Amino acid sequence: MSEAFAVRGQVVTPNSILIDGAVVVKDDRLAWIGESSAAQGAGFGAEVAAADSPTDGRYIIPGLVDVHCHGGGGQSFPDAATADDAMVAVWEHRLHGTTSIVTSLVTQSPEALRRQAQMLADLADAGEIAGIHFEGPFVAEAHKGAQDPHYIQAPNPALMRELMIVTRGHTVTMTLAPEGKRAFGSGSVAEVLIENGALPSYGHTDCDSATMRAAARWTREKLGLTPEETRLSPRYTITHLFNGMEPFHHRKPGPVLEAIADAAGGGAVLELIGDGTHVHPDAVRSVYELVGRDSMVLVTDAMAAAGMDDGDYVLGGQAVIVMDGKAYLRGEDGTPGSLAGGTAHLLDVVRNSWKNSGMSLVDAVYCGSMQGAKILGKEAEIGSLEAGKRADLVVADENLYPLQVFRRGIQIASVPEA
Ligand SMILES: [Zn+2]
């Protein structure tokens, strides 16, 4: 048992900001959250009195939860040769406030998927990562983005079953295109996912509106019929809404409007890469105003270049060039092609959504922490500053650049300069 201690600042809770707030940490738990003036009465007067009382407008927010992240710090989960390499990327994001990370693979050969998934499942067993996201291989070539077309294949429930065994319950989501035969419905990949405690995440799709609607309806029903104890979350997800799918057109509506309508009705949770590059800030604002914070989740889709300089990188074996902080597939003649993942940390995405997309700070933080926790089925354990939860928190300056990060009650090594 260690001594309890407090940190003070503007505390961002799920529904408000405590201007002169305090968070008391005891061991790996949040012991108390409240106005500093109320600490004495709550029995934590000594801890809060011992903490610095900041005057710089700093915020205390929950540790962030990223449910779509391929890498950072020069390493990526699809390409990492060892668990230590993968941990370089985990640490890159952890030092910037992401205390729970779902590691994303990309479309690769079945052998590569098995190998990388096995390594990541070991890291999940060790408590270093929160789970695994497969992005592909059952996606649409027409909207492949940075997915390697060489390894794209039709939905294969047998391969899915095998990957579920390899990942031993650590699979969180798989991105798949709903138009593929056996993508959803009886005997489908989506059925294997749900029956094994994971979630389909529709995306990288060439589907029309009717297919998206049918997939949404089936998936909602299936999740509704699945017993709570075997289900990760009652809601499935849409992989980076707008990216990797046909844009909306009123005579050829495609999947976007269907996905938004389903989310507004309590079906899908919409991933948004709110980094200012993948989606216009006004599109994030409109989706937020349409569906509200409980039906969207902010993600990074970050790749190896997160936290690094411009230059050459690799994503799932494919060459990527990063220019002005934007990652593109490198064409054969060296010219930039499709966007190939993000380079932001989730805290950057939260800041950007707050400052440029009209989200309140409370809601932007909520979409970067609580919403990911709910997808993981861990909202009772992580995702907000509430007593009893795991002591994962970020102290950030008035512009939301990280100053200190605590994970499981322990301050992790020095935070790099913003
Ligand atoms: Zn991705």
Side-chain angles (χ1 to χ4, degrees):
M1 299 286 276
S2 58
E3 293 287 303
F5 65 92
V7 285
R8 294 176 64 173
Q10 304 190 73
V11 177
V12 179
T13 75
N15 293 303
S16 65
I17 298 176
L18 310 175
I19 299 299
D20 180 13
V23 175
V24 178
V25 174
K26 174 87 173 109
D27 301 315
D28 68 343
R29 296 285 131 184
L30 298 170
W32 183 78
I33 292 99
E35 297 282 359
S36 295
S37 59
Q40 189 70 43
F44 294 104
E47 287 82 358
V48 172
D52 287 338
S53 174
T55 55
D56 58 0
R58 62 180 55 195
Y59 290 105
I60 305 172
I61 66 171
L64 300 181
V65 182
D66 194 354
V67 295
H68 187 158
C69 182
H70 300 278
Q75 291 286 348
S76 83
F77 306 118
D79 302 288
T82 65
D84 284 348
D85 288 349
M87 283 305 294
V88 170
V90 171
W91 272 104
E92 173 63 37
H93 290 280
R94 197 177 281 176
L95 286 168
H96 288 84
T98 304
T99 49
S100 297
I101 190 169
V102 174
T103 56
S104 300
L105 294 175
V106 291
T107 295
Q108 292 171 288
S109 69
E111 300 73 54
L113 288 176
R114 275 185 219 109
R115 184 188 65 229
Q116 299 307 98
Q118 171 82 54
M119 178 182 76
L120 295 172
D122 291 344
L123 287 178
D125 276 342
E128 299 287 2
I129 65 169
I132 300 162
H133 160 224
F134 290 98
E135 193 166 11
F138 315 132
V139 293
E141 188 151 352
H143 286 284
K144 63 185 186 324
Q147 304 293 320
D148 189 342
H150 192 70
Y151 297 114
I152 289 176
Q153 54 166 291
N156 180 341
L159 175 58
M160 192 70 250
R161 234 172 264 121
E162 211 190 308
L163 292 173
M164 298 304 294
I165 292 166
V166 169
T167 53
R168 311 190 294 272
H170 294 305
T171 296
V172 178
T173 47
M174 168 181 267
T175 299
L176 77 162
E179 67 271 28
K181 198 177 164 213
R182 290 190 295 181
F184 69 91
S186 180
S188 68
V189 168
E191 186 179 72
V192 173
L193 285 161
I194 293 171
E195 290 183 351
N196 287 277
L199 298 165
S201 183
Y202 298 116
H204 283 292
T205 172
D206 196 32
C207 76
D208 59 11
S209 50
T211 305
M212 187 65 236
R213 175 158 290 242
R217 181 166 300 170
W218 179 85
T219 308
R220 287 174 75 154
E221 264 177 36
K222 179 72 186 172
L223 285 166
L225 293 170
T226 305
E228 223 173 287
E229 56 278 13
T230 58
R231 192 176 66 183
L232 201 56
S233 156
R235 303 182 68 179
Y236 70 100
T237 64
I238 296 289
T239 297
H240 44 52
L241 183 72
F242 301 118
N243 300 107
M245 59 189 70
E246 205 59 43
F248 173 75
H249 186 285
H250 55 289
R251 280 190 293 272
K252 192 172 178 281
V256 168
L257 201 56
E258 287 291 341
I260 293 172
D262 190 59
V269 174
L270 309 170
E271 282 185 12
L272 284 162
I273 313 173
D275 61 0
T277 296
H278 283 78
V279 185
H280 193 285
D282 288 351
V284 174
R285 179 201 311 262
S286 296
V287 171
Y288 168 58
E289 290 177 352
L290 281 166
V291 307
R293 68 176 192 174
D294 283 302
S295 296
M296 55 186 276
V297 58
L298 293 171
V299 299
T300 61
D301 196 11
M303 42 74 76
M308 304 290 285
D309 294 330
D310 285 0
D312 293 309
Y313 294 89
V314 175
L315 180 63
Q318 299 201 100
V320 173
I321 181 164
V322 176
M323 302 186 308
D324 296 329
K326 297 178 174 129
Y328 306 92
L329 280 187
R330 179 190 267 286
E332 274 175 20
D333 54 356
T335 55
S338 260
L339 281 173
T343 59
H345 304 104
L346 190 51
L347 193 56
D348 304 322
V349 171
V350 168
R351 178 189 318 111
N352 194 52
S353 301
W354 168 40
K355 301 240 176 189
N356 300 321
S357 293
M359 294 184 74
S360 67
L361 178 60
V362 167
D363 286 355
V365 167
Y366 187 89
C367 286
S369 55
M370 193 59 175
Q371 283 298 89
K374 287 197 279 186
I375 291 165
L376 287 162
K378 289 188 178 159
E379 66 269 32
E381 173 76 359
I382 55 174
S384 62
L385 295 176
E386 293 176 274
K389 286 194 176 185
R390 213 168 83 182
D392 292 351
L393 54 135
V394 184
V395 182
D397 72 13
E398 59 184 341
N399 289 310
L400 226 54
Y401 288 93
L403 299 170
Q404 294 171 300
V405 180
F406 296 83
R407 186 171 185 267
R408 299 174 192 263
I410 295 166
Q411 186 177 348
I412 60 180
S414 64
V415 171
E417 284 158 40

